[in-house]
Amino acid sequence: MTKRLETAVPGLDAILEGGLLYHNSVLIKGQPGCGKTTLGIQIVYNGAALFNEPGIIVLFEQFPQQLHRDLESYNWDVKGMTEQKKLIVLFPPATDLLSTPYMEESPLISNIIDAATNLGARRILVDGMTHFLKVLDSDANEREVYLKFLNALKSVGLTPILTAEGSPNDKNTGYEDFLSDCVIHLSNEAAHDTSFIMRQLSVQKTRGHGHIRGKHPYRISEKGIEVFPNIAPRLRDDSAQQQDSTELIRIPSGVDGLDNMLGGGFTKGTASIVAGMPGTFKTTLGAEFAAAGAKQDETSLILSLNENPRFLMQTMHAKGIELQPLVETGKLKILHFFPKHFYMEEFLQQVEQELASNGTARVVVDGVNELERSIEDPAACKDYLTRFLVALRNCGATSLFIQKLDRFTSSAPLTDIEYAALFDGIIYTATVEIESSVHKVISILKMRGSAYQTDLRELTCGAQGLQIRNKFHGISGILSGNVQGQYKKTIEEVFQPLYFVRDFLSMVASPDIDDAQRQEMTQSMSREISKLIDHLGKYFDVEKP
Amino acid sequence: MAKKALIADDSKVIREIIASIIITVRRIETTETANGADAWEALQKNSYDLLITDLEMPGMSGQELVKKLRRELENTDMPVIVCTAEDIERYDDLYQIGVNAVLRKPFSPVDLLSTVDSLLK
């Protein structure tokens, strides 16, 4: 493979499939303020600082003081590099290039050639091409000058990097796009319905090598530009490993009753979604799951997108779930990301690094709604979730994603859970009204590759955390909000025995009844009354009425 | 010889109450089943003088049971009493499929006895 010119701009070489090609001209285009100059300087500076490839920076539109002031915000030692003769910065007037009839003889070109020869320079940034081209008369002339200029730079072994103003949405492709070997677009546009500026880099072309298509978000920080490649996920091939262990490993959920419903806990390495209305203990369930892992010395990670860690710890403390001590032992980590203020690629990259470095066994993502909101293109959410799930799968973590459902769902809640198909398991929680009182309920709708209980259970939360109660015997239609069973149950188990005893009491005194019958009737009345007492005791939660 | 009745109801309480009433007061022998399918099996194997059934049961409902009974069994004259907690707007539908009497839960044991008496005359 041809040796590549590594930009060492985080993420960019991956997008360029290894880097640029030496002597290929690069055009960086973008609107004002999107970091064209920064990117150009960073590529040249990195060459000098990291690869011993001296560089030249030509700035048409700036004064030296201005540049040094601007560069102070970055961790780059431009001054040191220039002192070590690894970098030279030129600030020529634009007219320098055309001050003679033969461009090759222009002071600018000769300065550059001198510098290139003296330093042994390999990389050059020529910033402000737009400005420089404005001094020219006509389009035809511009094209010719541009080409000659590039060739002059290439002829002395330089890899030219030029910047120009423009937007990827421009209908008119300029000649500079055609003449350049590589075109990189930078854009900074407000994200949908927010004031958050989305910075995105895209590669329009790379002559002689491939690149990853699509829009890749980037940030500008003191490190310069950092790009987060939007790369399709690749599932690690662990089929050999899987063959060794056909037995399912169970991961306790942290809630005993739920483990019973799950047939022993979640299956190791699976991703499940807990979907339900607000206030149905979804976050609590996630906290129980993470805490249970941390308590048995597994590393757990909570990615909290809607609450800051302190608030989460406080609310869970009130429910008897102590997260803080676990955080202090380092077994539990709570990371907070503010929705809309992060890029999915950046987020995923951080999560992937976190998973890889800590051997994380359990991950809770709270929640899916916030992830959705941070993604500009809603249609892309599924792709990101897929990539997320692949990353989790690759590291063998068992995960719970929490999704808030906005409305009371129908009796077919699966259709309301948009990403149901992506997950191995689906747990549904809801608030229901039964006989004028509100209950939280939980049900397992899907658990791939594992037997599970399908019935609806009551979910309660006290000072000891979450508890799963008994089944709702004889009640149907809870999810549809059309509860009928309670009525039937009350009729059959309370009123019917009372009617029975009432009538038998009057019959027992009747002369038509013989003694044997009388005795049997008394016994059966006594039996029914006892059962009724038991039943009412359970109903009113009185242990021995 | 004592008459025989089959009771089909998913509520144990109801089955026992019905059995208590008709055994102690009328000396009718009873067999209890908790769902329509078990009742159907019992009906095929044994002969009964009376069927007392619920409507809403897991698996085969009371309506299905009665339809099958009237369509597939030879002893189609066997009287059928439906005991239901459901608020059925039109009992006519039940009579059309061959139900002889309907009692709404909670029923009075006196009403049950008089209904049984009238059907087993």
Side-chain angles (χ1 to χ4, degrees):
Chain A
M1 196 175 112
T2 319
K3 190 173 182 300
R4 292 299 182 84
L5 182 148
E6 289 178 57
T7 65
V9 173
L12 183 58
D13 291 326
I15 293 164
L16 295 167
E17 297 190 346
L20 298 161
L21 281 181
Y22 283 95
H23 314 310
N24 259 8
S25 59
V26 182
L27 179 66
I28 303 171
K29 289 186 89 171
Q31 301 128 315
C34 63
K36 299 184 294 295
T37 309
T38 305
L39 182 60
I41 293 177
Q42 195 174 353
I43 296 172
V44 175
Y45 177 83
N46 284 349
L50 305 173
F51 305 109
N52 200 24
E53 293 181 358
I56 303 168
I57 296 172
V58 181
L59 301 170
F60 281 117
E61 294 172 345
Q62 286 192 39
F63 296 105
Q65 303 89 322
Q66 196 186 343
L67 174 79
H68 291 298
R69 188 200 61 207
D70 293 351
L71 290 182
E72 267 176 21
S73 52
Y74 303 110
N75 299 334
W76 300 332
D77 183 16
V78 174
K79 210 175 161 202
M81 283 293 130
T82 47
E83 281 166 9
Q84 291 175 45
K85 304 239 179 283
K86 285 189 173 179
L87 202 61
I88 186 164
V89 188
L90 305 173
F91 301 92
T95 46
D96 257 17
L97 190 63
L98 302 161
S99 55
T100 65
Y102 302 102
M103 199 186 67
E104 293 82 348
E105 294 169 10
S106 74
L108 174 62
I109 296 285
S110 59
N111 277 347
I112 290 174
I113 291 172
D114 284 352
T117 317
N118 293 338
L119 264 63
R122 305 295 303 273
R123 308 181 182 200
I124 181 168
L125 165 70
V126 182
D127 189 40
M129 275 310 279
T130 340
H131 188 78
F132 140 67
L133 293 168
K134 271 184 192 153
V135 302
L136 298 170
D137 303 336
S138 70
D139 273 4
N141 204 1
E142 269 183 44
R143 186 188 167 102
E144 194 185 333
V145 171
Y146 189 87
L147 189 59
K148 275 187 180 174
F149 182 63
L150 286 182
N151 288 338
L153 300 179
K154 288 180 183 180
S155 69
V156 288
L158 289 165
T159 299
I161 299 157
L162 295 92
T163 65
E165 281 183 16
S167 134
N169 304 327
D170 278 352
K171 290 268 163 41
N172 304 320
T173 311
Y175 61 85
E176 66 270 25
D177 294 58
F178 293 110
L179 296 180
S180 304
D181 301 303
C182 170
V183 179
I184 296 171
H185 281 283
L186 299 180
S187 70
N188 51 351
E189 283 164 5
H192 65 120
D193 76 352
T194 71
S195 56
F196 179 49
I197 300 294
M198 292 284 287
R199 295 188 187 274
Q200 289 180 318
L201 176 149
S202 58
V203 179
Q204 187 182 313
K205 75 173 193 187
T206 48
R207 208 171 271 158
H209 64 101
H211 64 267
I212 298 170
R213 289 173 180 280
K215 292 178 173 178
H216 311 278
Y218 66 94
R219 271 192 195 284
I220 305 179
S221 68
E222 72 281 357
K223 290 180 282 184
I225 282 184
E226 186 179 4
V227 195
F228 306 99
N230 181 0
I231 301 174
R234 286 200 189 106
L235 194 59
R236 193 183 299 153
D237 182 18
D238 56 353
S239 50
Q241 203 181 327
Q242 280 176 350
Q243 277 169 2
D244 291 344
S245 56
T246 46
E247 204 174 313
L248 296 178
I249 299 169
R250 295 293 184 168
I251 305 291
S253 67
V255 181
D256 293 344
L258 182 59
D259 288 343
N260 292 337
M261 292 174 79
L262 290 164
F266 291 103
T267 308
K268 187 177 187 303
T270 55
S272 301
I273 193 161
V274 181
M277 286 178 288
T280 52
F281 306 132
K282 299 183 299 296
T283 299
T284 315
L285 189 63
E288 291 268 32
F289 174 69
K295 273 182 210 160
Q296 55 183 44
D297 219 30
E298 292 172 359
T299 309
S300 296
L301 174 66
I302 298 178
L303 297 168
S304 178
L305 300 155
N306 58 6
E307 278 179 7
N308 76 49
R310 183 151 301 282
F311 186 70
L312 179 69
M313 288 193 283
Q314 280 169 357
T315 48
M316 289 307 133
H317 167 74
K319 294 173 177 182
I321 305 164
E322 301 300 347
L323 299 180
Q324 186 146 7
L326 300 170
V327 170
E328 283 161 10
T329 63
K331 280 291 157 193
L332 173 65
K333 198 163 185 179
I334 306 175
L335 295 181
H336 178 54
F337 293 84
F338 194 73
K340 292 187 183 178
H341 284 200
F342 61 84
Y343 298 121
M344 265 316 277
E345 283 81 2
E346 180 186 16
F347 171 75
L348 289 176
Q349 191 172 305
Q350 283 191 34
V351 171
E352 281 163 1
Q353 281 165 3
E354 186 64 39
L355 292 175
S357 63
N358 285 328
T360 309
R362 297 175 182 230
V363 178
V364 176
V365 183
D366 190 6
V368 174
N369 308 68
E370 286 77 13
L371 281 181
E372 266 182 322
R373 257 179 274 148
S374 68
I375 295 169
E376 189 183 13
D377 174 12
C381 193
K382 211 167 181 174
D383 294 340
Y384 287 117
L385 271 177
T386 306
R387 183 173 157 195
F388 201 165
L389 293 172
V390 167
L392 289 167
R393 195 154 173 190
N394 282 342
C395 82
T398 310
S399 58
L400 272 192
F401 284 67
I402 288 161
Q403 186 185 2
K404 189 178 74 201
L405 299 176
D406 291 329
R407 59 195 174 87
F408 189 87
T409 191
S410 63
S411 54
L414 266 176
T415 55
D416 285 337
I417 304 166
E418 210 171 328
Y419 310 107
L422 298 179
F423 290 90
D424 301 300
I426 298 166
I427 294 174
Y428 177 67
T429 59
T431 304
V432 295
E433 186 200 325
I434 301 169
E435 303 270 300
S436 302
S437 75
V438 172
H439 300 256
K440 313 284 167 77
V441 294
I442 185 165
S443 176
I444 300 171
L445 302 183
K446 165 180 159 182
M447 205 49 71
R448 205 175 277 157
S450 168
Y452 58 92
Q453 292 173 16
T454 52
D455 41 65
L456 202 64
R457 300 295 190 102
E458 183 166 13
L459 186 63
T460 60
C461 186
Q464 304 300 317
L466 285 182
Q467 285 199 313
I468 307 272
R469 301 277 176 186
N470 291 335
K471 283 193 231 183
F472 288 95
H473 283 288
I475 303 180
S476 61
I478 288 178
L479 290 184
S480 61
N482 182 21
V483 181
Q484 292 187 341
Q486 190 72 1
Y487 170 78
K488 186 173 187 264
K489 195 176 170 183
T490 310
I491 293 291
E492 291 179 342
E493 299 192 9
V494 179
F495 288 96
Q496 189 62 68
L498 290 171
Y499 273 51
F500 168 74
V501 174
R502 182 198 64 190
D503 282 19
F504 260 34
L505 276 175
S506 55
M507 273 191 251
V508 100
S510 156
D512 302 336
I513 302 290
D514 62 33
D515 283 350
Q517 282 174 314
R518 201 162 284 123
Q519 198 181 345
E520 282 172 44
M521 288 169 90
T522 313
Q523 280 168 357
S524 63
M525 280 191 289
S526 165
R527 199 171 55 235
E528 287 310 318
I529 291 285
S530 297
K531 280 194 285 185
L532 185 58
I533 290 169
D534 282 349
H535 181 78
L536 292 175
K538 269 186 211 154
Y539 188 86
F540 291 109
D541 217 11
V542 180
E543 215 164 286
K544 280 186 180 173
Chain B
M1 207 173 94
K3 302 264 189 195
K4 287 182 187 169
L6 177 66
I7 304 165
D9 200 305
D10 57 343
S11 161
K12 192 164 182 273
V13 175
I14 296 292
R15 292 198 303 272
E16 287 177 358
I17 286 175
I18 294 173
S20 280
I21 297 165
I22 60 179
I23 292 170
T24 52
V25 186
R26 290 291 179 261
R27 297 297 184 207
I28 294 172
E29 283 178 21
T30 60
T31 305
E32 296 173 27
T33 58
N35 58 60
D38 288 352
W40 175 238
E41 207 181 315
L43 284 168
Q44 285 171 302
K45 285 182 187 161
N46 309 296
S47 116
Y48 297 96
D49 300 294
L50 174 68
L51 169 66
I52 303 174
T53 181
D54 189 9
L55 288 183
E56 199 186 304
M57 291 184 286
M60 191 191 293
S61 71
Q63 285 98 322
E64 285 171 79
L65 177 67
V66 177
K67 280 183 201 165
K68 261 179 114 59
L69 162 76
R70 295 299 186 220
R71 198 171 53 227
E72 295 176 34
L73 279 191
E74 283 177 12
N75 180 11
T76 53
D77 293 342
M78 178 172 55
V80 175
I81 303 172
V82 160
C83 288
T84 178
E86 280 179 59
D87 184 9
I88 295 177
E89 285 177 9
R90 291 168 57 205
Y91 286 166
D92 294 357
D93 292 346
L94 291 175
Y95 294 127
Q96 269 174 17
I97 62 169
V99 172
N100 302 85
V102 180
L103 291 175
R104 179 90 194 274
K105 290 173 188 168
F107 54 84
S108 148
V110 176
D111 289 345
L112 175 64
L113 286 170
S114 62
T115 307
V116 169
D117 290 345
S118 68
L119 290 172
L120 292 183
K121 252 193 299 201

